[in-house]
Amino acid sequence: VVNNVMRTPIIYAMIPARYGSTRLKMKNLALIDGKPMISYAIEAAIYSNVFDKVIINSEHSIFEKIAIRYGADFYHRAKNLGSSETRSDAIVFDFMQAYPEADVIVWVNPTSPFQSSNEIYDVVNHFNENNLDSLITVEEKQVHCNYEEKPVNYNPLGLFEQTQDLIPIEPFVYSIMMWRKDIFLSEYNKKGFALFCGKFGVRTVNKLSGIIIKTADDLKIADLLMRSINLYDKNYSVKYDKLVEYNKI
């Protein structure tokens, strides 16, 4: 008798964490509203309830203590995979070899501390429902855009279009990247790279998830914003100058 029941795929969250950093020293351990930046990715991944395991992937053992503190697992990759020159493909390939039982690997980016558990759930669900093999998150922007001094989504010979009428552009934000393991490994072994393997798709995330922490200025903005959200977000409402007649809005 042939068993036609589809097995539920095993999905692991991988949170990459380099100890060093070119632009912002030890950024994954830098505090945002009193907590290390990487903790936001760990907690969001765990609370999304879509992963069989949530694993910090680092070349430095200090992150094992962070993993224990926040209830994640830890994978200690080789030191030669911890430099700024190391390609993302190589990190994913190494991780897949270490966890061959996983069917899908999801890169949850610790430099996107505002990404919510609900949004992670939505992205993973989108991947599964559309039978994708690879996915990267994007942010939708309706702005006039040039590429190499040429218009992308507007006509400079016509009327200046309102932004709400423009075709949106979709810059990558990398808050989540994910791959079906067998497809990734097959392409990586053939080409030496595989981030866009098989059937590739994107998923739009909100503006907060699009905030990527790369520099000290980014960190300062994120810290102030997170403090404000944690203090006031539940009671926030739009307010207007006293000259506005509210009943005529």
Side-chain angles (χ1 to χ4, degrees), residues 23-192:
R23 285 171 285 189
L24 178 58
K25 185 178 179 181
M26 296 184 291
K27 66 184 176 186
N28 286 302
L29 298 173
L31 299 183
I32 296 178
D33 195 13
K35 295 167 54 178
M37 181 170 68
I38 193 172
S39 70
Y40 292 94
I42 298 170
E43 291 177 337
I46 290 173
Y47 296 147
S48 71
N49 292 316
V50 292
F51 301 118
D52 296 282
K53 284 186 179 181
V54 175
I55 306 166
I56 297 179
N57 178 358
S58 179
E59 84 290 352
H60 201 291
S61 60
I62 194 172
F63 287 102
E64 185 171 11
K65 297 176 182 179
I66 294 292
I68 293 170
R69 183 192 301 174
Y70 290 98
D73 290 328
F74 177 71
Y75 171 60
H76 197 169
R77 68 175 181 253
K79 286 188 177 181
N80 66 310
L81 292 174
S83 72
S84 59
E85 288 78 32
T86 303
R87 292 185 298 107
S88 299
D89 308 70
I91 292 173
V92 175
F93 177 72
D94 173 74
F95 187 82
M96 287 180 173
Q97 289 185 311
Y99 295 93
E101 72 276 13
D103 299 301
V104 176
I105 298 299
V106 182
W107 177 307
V108 180
N109 204 330
T111 59
S112 301
F114 295 98
Q115 184 163 249
S116 70
S117 57
N118 288 337
E119 195 160 59
I120 292 174
Y121 178 91
D122 171 74
V123 173
V124 174
N125 194 48
H126 176 82
F127 179 92
N128 289 327
E129 286 185 347
N130 290 276
N131 296 312
L132 299 177
D133 299 312
S134 56
L135 176 148
I136 297 177
T137 52
V138 299
E139 182 183 351
E140 190 174 277
K141 290 180 176 288
Q142 283 185 281
V143 293
H144 297 78
C145 184
N146 281 5
Y147 175 71
E148 293 187 343
E149 300 184 359
K150 295 181 180 179
V152 172
N153 60 342
Y154 69 96
N155 181 5
L157 301 179
L159 290 173
F160 189 79
E161 296 175 272
Q162 293 183 303
T163 54
Q164 63 263 32
D165 296 327
L166 293 172
I167 297 174
I169 59 170
E170 296 181 332
F172 286 10
V173 298
Y174 322 99
S175 59
I176 290 178
M177 301 189 289
M178 57 188 300
W179 308 271
R180 209 168 295 279
K181 183 194 66 181
D182 291 343
I183 303 299
F184 181 98
L185 291 178
S186 176
E187 191 155 322
Y188 187 90
N189 286 323
K190 292 176 183 176
K191 301 178 180 179

Side-chain angles (χ1 to χ4, degrees), residues 232-248:
Y232 303 114
D233 191 47
K234 291 181 180 179
N235 299 316
Y236 179 80
S237 62
V238 178
K239 295 181 175 61
Y240 298 93
D241 185 85
K242 60 183 180 181
L243 295 177
V244 176
E245 294 182 32
Y246 292 92
N247 60 337
K248 293 184 179 180

